[in-house]
Amino acid sequence: MSNRSLVTTFFLTGLPHAPALDTMLFGLFLVIYILTVLGNLLILLVIRVDSHLHTPMYYFLTNLSFIDMWFSTVTVPKMLMTLATPGGGAISFHSCVAQLYSFHFLGSTECFLYTVMSYDRYLAISYPLRYSSMMRGRVCALLAAGTWLSGSLHSAVQTTLTFRLPYCGSNQVQHYFCDAPPILKLACADTSAIEMVIFVNIGVVASGCFLLIVLSYVSIVCSILRIRTSEGRHRAFQTCASHCIVVLCFFVPCVFIYLRPGSRDVMDGVVAVFYTVLTPLLNPVVYTLRNKEVKKALLKLKDKVAYSQSQ
């Protein structure tokens, strides 16, 4: 990072809205954040205590729940501070660096994890008899570790490229968290080359992961159509539909913000809400309301709690 950076504090302008909506938006996002954290914690607890859910699919789901819980925590509390207090948008230079790194670390790790999860579903549906031997515990651990390592390296590149530039002018970040596009607009240097590198870097990761996911699901659909029983086809489609819903809600807003020419501050901030606030909430909702196994595990946990309280 450059020693020429004179800016020591950035100021996040937050979401564009009328001041009269501060209280309403604060309450709305606070409720969503609490539900997100509690919902993902519940998934982690249920999968932990129910031995029937100790399978590769739910192993990756625990990783996803853990990521979503912290992914939301990286951005939402600061947004709530911005809404609640007049000076709540102030963030130190180093805190801004940490927020940008954490955001891209968790976001890119989630991107890689979605790809691994689609591969897991492909093996489970296409090779049901060999699935257990192909996705042993060691293989699952290596795949999960690979997503976290890849995410950390990808984020390190984004953060280093963004903050190696000097920042000596305006400190008004037109966003509700520190992200590369609005931060680069404040740099006191030509950013075109770095913007192109970041564009290509994110583009390769996002398009590569999305292409692999699409290929996995094309193969999955072909395998599902070969299932003889209608009940088997329905169950396979239902399992994959949950994954597809969350994947689309994550990738579409990201592509809109990072992989299009030009930038519209107002629109980018609004669209970012979908994958920073709403998608982490969708994970527990989609994977519990659409999943019979998780519902059964929740009922068992509820009965255990009720029984322990009655003793």
Side-chain angles (χ1 to χ4, degrees), residues 1-7 164-168 188-189:
M1 298 176 196
S2 176
N3 292 326
R4 295 175 293 164
S5 296
L6 302 179
V7 173
R164 68 187 296 270
L165 296 170
Y167 293 91
C168 52
C188 302

Side-chain angles (χ1 to χ4, degrees), residues 202-267:
I202 294 178
V204 169
V205 170
S207 59
C209 289
F210 190 72
L211 178 61
L212 290 173
I213 291 172
V214 170
L215 289 175
S216 295
Y217 276 95
V218 169
S219 301
I220 287 171
V221 170
C222 293
S223 298
I224 289 175
L225 294 176
R226 290 196 293 268
I227 298 176
R228 295 181 179 181
T229 63
S230 59
E231 182 181 353
R233 287 196 298 269
H234 175 72
R235 184 177 179 183
F237 269 122
Q238 189 176 39
T239 301
C240 297
S242 301
H243 188 195
C244 288
I245 291 171
V246 179
V247 165
L248 289 175
C249 290
F250 180 82
F251 274 94
V252 172
C254 288
V255 169
F256 178 84
I257 290 177
Y258 296 105
L259 303 182
R260 83 187 201 281
S263 178
R264 302 171 183 85
D265 296 328
V266 175
M267 186 62 68

Side-chain angles (χ1 to χ4, degrees), residues 45-309:
L45 176 62
V46 169
I47 294 176
R48 172 70 177 174
V49 300
D50 195 312
S51 59
H52 294 95
L53 301 181
H54 293 176
T55 64
M57 173 181 170
Y58 294 104
Y59 174 76
F60 294 126
L61 182 56
T62 57
N63 279 265
L64 182 60
S65 292
F66 184 81
I67 290 172
D68 277 336
M69 187 171 59
W70 288 107
F71 190 52
S72 182
T73 300
V74 166
T75 58
V76 178
K78 188 60 184 177
M79 178 172 63
L80 293 175
M81 289 177 61
T82 304
L83 290 169
T85 58
I91 182 171
S92 70
F93 185 90
H94 291 96
S95 295
C96 190
V97 173
Q99 187 181 49
L100 190 146
Y101 175 81
S102 300
F103 174 77
H104 281 279
F105 169 43
L106 295 168
S108 54
T109 300
E110 185 162 341
C111 180
F112 292 123
L113 186 60
Y114 283 135
T115 309
V116 170
M117 291 175 72
S118 67
Y119 175 67
D120 171 68
R121 291 300 84 207
Y122 162 71
L123 293 180
I125 294 173
S126 301
Y127 304 98
L129 300 179
R130 297 166 51 195
Y131 174 67
S132 297
S133 61
M134 297 173 75
M135 292 296 286
R136 299 185 303 275
R138 180 179 175 82
V139 174
C140 292
L142 287 173
L143 287 172
T147 64
W148 287 93
L149 178 60
S150 300
S152 65
L153 294 175
H154 174 76
S155 180
V157 172
Q158 307 293 339
T159 307
T160 302
L161 288 174
T162 301
F163 289 102
R164 68 187 296 270
L165 296 170
Y167 293 91
C168 52
S170 173
N171 67 343
Q172 301 287 312
V173 181
Q174 300 296 320
H175 213 320
Y176 61 89
F177 66 94
C178 290
D179 197 9
I183 291 291
L184 287 174
K185 291 182 179 180
L186 307 179
C188 302
D190 180 25
T191 62
S192 56
I194 289 179
E195 285 179 352
M196 181 56 66
V197 173
I198 290 178
F199 177 87
V200 172
N201 190 14
I202 294 178
V204 169
V205 170
S207 59
C209 289
F210 190 72
L211 178 61
L212 290 173
I213 291 172
V214 170
L215 289 175
S216 295
Y217 276 95
V218 169
S219 301
I220 287 171
V221 170
C222 293
S223 298
I224 289 175
L225 294 176
R226 290 196 293 268
I227 298 176
R228 295 181 179 181
T229 63
S230 59
E231 182 181 353
R233 287 196 298 269
H234 175 72
R235 184 177 179 183
F237 269 122
Q238 189 176 39
T239 301
C240 297
S242 301
H243 188 195
C244 288
I245 291 171
V246 179
V247 165
L248 289 175
C249 290
F250 180 82
F251 274 94
V252 172
C254 288
V255 169
F256 178 84
I257 290 177
Y258 296 105
L259 303 182
R260 83 187 201 281
S263 178
R264 302 171 183 85
D265 296 328
V266 175
M267 186 62 68
D268 285 356
V270 173
V271 173
V273 171
F274 281 92
Y275 68 93
T276 60
V277 180
L278 298 181
T279 300
L281 176 63
L282 277 178
N283 177 26
V285 172
V286 169
Y287 281 99
T288 54
L289 296 182
R290 296 180 58 88
N291 193 303
K292 292 181 180 179
E293 292 177 330
V294 175
K295 288 180 184 177
K296 290 180 181 178
L298 284 170
L299 290 175
K300 286 182 182 178
L301 180 62
K302 179 183 175 183
D303 292 339
K304 286 182 180 179
V305 173
Y307 177 78
S308 63
Q309 290 177 345

